[in-house]
Amino acid sequence: MMSAPSGQTVAQFIEHYQMGSPFDLDNEKAYQAWRENKLENYPENVEELIVEINDPAALTSAEYTAIHALVVKTNMAVYAGNTGRDADKEIPAKLGKQFGLTELDDNMGADDGVTSLKVVSGRWRGGYIPYTNKPIHWHTDGYYNPLDYQIRALFLHCVSPAEKGGENALLDHEIAYIHLRDTNPDYIRVFMSNDAMTIPANIKDGKEIRPDRAGPVFSVTTDGNLHMRYTARTRSIEWKNDTVTQAAVKSLAEFLDSESPCIYRATLQSGQGLISNNVLHDRSGFEDADDYKRLLYRLRYYQRIANT
Ligand SMILES: [Fe+2]
C-alpha cells in the first residue's frame, strides 16, 4: 500500500524532455510521450490509492511522500488516519497546509471555509443536493465559479459514514482527457473552447445570485497543468449546440458510465479522506440511521496541491 507509483509532474515532464506541452493538440509527440508515462503502472483499484497514516495534522515524511507520489500519478490519494469520529475541522485544514494549501474557497455553505456535508432540512441548504441524501452526478467542484476562481484542489474528510450508501466514484481528469483525445482530438478542441459550456444565471426570488457563466471544459493553467470543469447534470447547463460538442459530451458521459478500471469507488470511513486536484467524482445516495449520520467535511482550494 505504501509503495508509491512512479510518475512525474507535467512541469517535470516538460523540463525533462523539452518537448513543450502535452496538452497542445498540435504537439502529438509530447502528448504521446506524456501519455505513455502517465499510463505506465497506473493504479487500477482503489486499494492502491490508500495510505495509512497516523496523525493527519502532522504527517511523517514517509506518509507525506507516499501521498504526494500518488497525487503526482493520479491527481488523488485516500488517507486513512487515526482520528475516528473526531469532528475537529482543523484536522483536514492542517492536512491541507502540509500540502501548501491555504486559500480556501469561501462558498455559500461554508462557515469557515470548511463545509459540513450532511443532511440539512428546513433551512435554505435543504434546497441544494449536497445537503440532502440524494445521489450527485459526476462533476468537478466549482465548475460554476468565475474562471478566475476555479477550484484546483478538493479535500473530503469523513467524520462519520452513513449507515448505507454514500459511495464516491473518482476519476482522474487527465484520464478523461486521454480517453477523449484518443477517441477524437476534435473532442478536445471543442472542449477547450471558451463557449463549450454555459451555466445559466442562478436566480432566486427574482434576484440574480450568479450571472450566466460560459467557459471551457479543459484548460491549461499558467503552470502548465490541466484543469477541468464539468457536470453531468442536464438541467442548469447548456452545452454548445454543435455536432462535435454534442458528440464529445456523449463520449465523456459514456466513459464515466463505463467499467473502466481507472474509475475508483470508495465509501470513506471515519478518519479517512480524499486529497485531490479536484478530480471528477460522484456520490451515490445514502441512508442515515441514529448512530450513523453521514458527516463529511469538504475543503475547496484555489491552489493546486504543491509540487504536483
Ligand atoms: Fe463535489
Side-chain angles (χ1 to χ4, degrees):
M1 246 190 297
M2 297 281 279
S3 68
S6 64
Q8 53 190 174
T9 66
V10 173
Q12 285 166 340
F13 169 85
I14 293 171
E15 194 185 0
H16 188 143
Y17 295 99
Q18 299 190 325
M19 276 187 192
S21 173
F23 306 123
D24 176 355
L25 275 174
D26 296 325
N27 195 343
E28 186 64 13
K29 203 173 159 197
Y31 171 64
Q32 290 300 339
W34 170 80
R35 180 187 180 283
E36 190 181 325
N37 182 268
K38 173 89 188 172
L39 297 179
E40 189 184 11
N41 298 323
Y42 195 86
E44 294 201 337
N45 67 71
V46 71
E47 282 76 29
E48 292 175 66
L49 290 193
I50 301 172
V51 179
E52 308 266 0
I53 62 171
N54 191 33
D55 179 7
L59 295 175
T60 66
S61 71
E63 291 166 351
Y64 174 88
T65 303
I67 293 173
H68 177 262
L70 279 164
V71 178
V72 167
K73 187 71 183 175
T74 66
N75 280 307
M76 68 187 113
V78 173
Y79 62 88
N82 65 1
T83 56
R85 289 184 172 221
D86 188 341
D88 184 358
K89 289 182 167 182
E90 284 292 307
I91 295 168
K94 282 180 179 164
L95 186 60
K97 284 190 186 128
Q98 293 166 81
F99 289 92
L101 301 172
T102 49
E103 293 173 27
L104 276 161
D105 178 41
D106 190 16
N107 72 306
M108 290 191 290
D111 356 282
D112 44 16
V114 179
T115 305
S116 299
L117 297 178
K118 60 181 178 185
V119 176
V120 178
S121 55
R123 291 187 290 160
W124 65 267
R125 287 188 183 114
Y128 288 85
I129 295 174
Y131 308 104
T132 70
N133 62 354
K134 294 186 184 125
I136 304 177
H137 296 304
W138 284 101
H139 64 281
T140 56
D141 270 35
Y143 59 85
Y144 40 74
N145 279 15
L147 295 180
D148 291 347
Y149 289 92
Q150 286 292 298
I151 304 302
R152 310 282 179 205
L154 166 70
F155 279 34
L156 294 173
H157 177 81
C158 177
V159 177
S160 173
E163 188 192 40
K164 212 172 132 193
E167 178 186 75
N168 288 113
L170 304 160
L171 175 67
D172 179 351
H173 55 291
E174 291 178 358
I175 296 293
Y177 177 96
I178 289 171
H179 172 79
L180 289 166
R181 184 158 170 175
D182 289 357
T183 306
N184 184 348
D186 282 341
Y187 291 171
I188 301 297
R189 208 176 304 281
V190 292
F191 270 177
M192 292 190 97
S193 120
N194 284 330
D195 57 356
M197 64 190 273
T198 301
I199 295 103
N202 183 1
I203 295 164
K204 266 229 160 10
D205 305 325
K207 193 170 163 253
E208 188 181 273
I209 297 173
R210 175 176 36 70
D212 270 2
R213 286 208 177 116
V217 175
F218 290 117
S219 53
V220 179
T221 59
T222 46
D223 56 8
N225 286 299
L226 186 73
H227 177 64
M228 184 174 192
R229 298 167 63 244
Y230 178 71
T231 175
R233 291 185 72 165
T234 46
R235 285 190 307 140
S236 308
I237 175 91
E238 284 159 18
W239 291 99
K240 191 174 179 185
N241 193 14
D242 73 55
T243 322
V244 186
T245 304
Q246 297 292 328
V249 171
K250 187 161 174 275
S251 176
L252 177 56
E254 283 167 0
F255 184 55
L256 294 171
D257 206 25
S258 75
E259 296 293 315
S260 166
C262 298
I263 296 176
Y264 311 120
R265 289 173 209 283
T267 306
L268 295 174
Q269 303 299 312
S270 299
Q272 297 186 344
L274 170 76
I275 286 181
S276 86
N277 283 323
N278 198 5
V279 294
L280 287 155
H281 56 285
D282 78 359
R283 180 190 80 191
S284 70
F286 62 87
E287 283 169 33
D288 279 342
D290 283 350
D291 284 347
Y292 287 92
K293 289 200 196 314
R294 189 177 194 267
L295 172 60
L296 260 69
Y297 291 145
R298 179 186 68 200
L299 296 83
R300 291 167 160 171
Y301 297 98
Y302 297 130
Q303 303 144 301
R304 189 179 163 88
I305 295 167
N307 308 311
T308 63

